[in-house]
Amino acid sequence: MIEDINENSERLILNEISLIYPDLHDIKFFKDRFNKPHIFANGKEKIWCSISHKEILKLIVLSDSVIGIDVESKIIKSELSYLFHNAEQMLMNNHESISLTLMWTLKEAAAKSIGLGLTFGINSVYIYLIDKKCVEFISTKTGFQYMGRYYIFKVKKYIISIIYNVERINYER
């Protein structure tokens, strides 16, 4: 479960926002019923935010577009592969560089980007396409498909995945 943002964290976030976006005023921070952070300024939602933490590391990303982040330090063992959709298992089989841990962080970042987080479990989204720049995924709760860019990197023992510029790509519902 995501740790609640305490007053010090909230003050730090708001301080960073005022440095990055000096033209914004009346900045307010809150979390919705799914624990997704929202930042409003000048009376409108202006800044997209995502938060992840593991052990002593806490990451906060801010963006002008939809964004999600996840960090993991533990290696996800092969015994947990049943948690992944068949499409994801095929992706991992076809791309040797995609480990269970990397797929886990991508899934969680994707779920956070569309406001679900892990409220509905790790299978609230599944990833069905990854290329060198983009990832495509489906929300199992809504059936909507999404596409976004991604960036994955490692810092010491931590794998960090960020999905950004997320857009819904099917509108038939």
Side-chain angles (χ1 to χ4, degrees):
M1 180 160 185
I2 294 178
E3 165 189 326
D4 286 335
I5 298 294
N6 62 32
E7 285 183 31
N8 289 334
S9 297
E10 184 176 337
R11 194 171 25 258
L12 177 65
I13 293 168
L14 296 176
N15 191 33
E16 287 299 313
I17 291 169
S18 66
L19 293 173
I20 297 168
Y21 302 96
D23 60 323
L24 297 183
H25 306 284
D26 192 29
I27 301 169
K28 293 181 174 44
F29 179 90
F30 78 95
K31 286 189 172 186
D32 66 18
R33 64 188 174 123
F34 297 120
N35 217 18
K36 179 174 177 51
H38 294 270
I39 299 171
F40 286 82
N42 303 346
K44 297 180 184 174
E45 188 164 30
K46 291 280 193 175
I47 302 163
W48 295 91
C49 178
S50 186
I51 300 169
S52 186
H53 60 83
K54 191 63 147 183
E55 299 155 359
I56 63 166
L57 184 65
K58 184 174 234 171
L59 302 170
I60 300 168
V61 289
L62 305 171
S63 176
D64 293 330
S65 66
V66 177
I67 193 162
I69 188 169
D70 188 51
V71 59
E72 185 58 64
S73 63
K74 297 177 188 162
I75 303 299
I76 307 296
K77 306 270 191 224
S78 60
E79 301 88 60
L80 296 177
S81 64
Y82 72 90
L83 292 172
F84 296 88
H85 190 274
N86 289 342
E88 293 167 331
Q89 290 183 26
M90 286 177 41
L91 277 173
M92 289 184 283
N93 290 337
N94 292 335
H95 299 280
E96 292 176 12
S97 63
I98 301 175
S99 67
L100 289 172
T101 307
L102 189 142
M103 183 62 78
W104 183 283
T105 62
L106 273 174
K107 282 174 68 87
E108 193 167 342
K112 287 178 179 180
S113 75
I114 59 173
L116 297 177
L118 288 184
T119 302
F120 299 105
I122 192 66
N123 286 318
S124 61
V125 300
Y126 74 85
I127 294 171
Y128 64 91
L129 179 68
I130 298 174
D131 69 18
K132 291 182 180 185
K133 296 180 183 175
C134 293
V135 60
E136 293 183 17
F137 57 97
I138 294 176
S139 164
T140 59
K141 294 297 164 199
T142 64
F144 292 131
Q145 295 173 279
Y146 299 87
M147 179 172 80
R149 299 180 68 81
Y150 71 92
Y151 186 68
I152 300 166
F153 57 102
K154 189 172 182 178
V155 176
K156 299 195 180 209
K157 66 178 183 173
Y158 300 99
I159 293 177
I160 301 162
S161 290
I162 300 172
I163 294 182
Y164 60 100
N165 289 350
V166 176
E167 297 179 18
R168 199 166 92 198
I169 57 176
N170 69 335
Y171 293 93
E172 300 83 56
R173 291 195 159 234

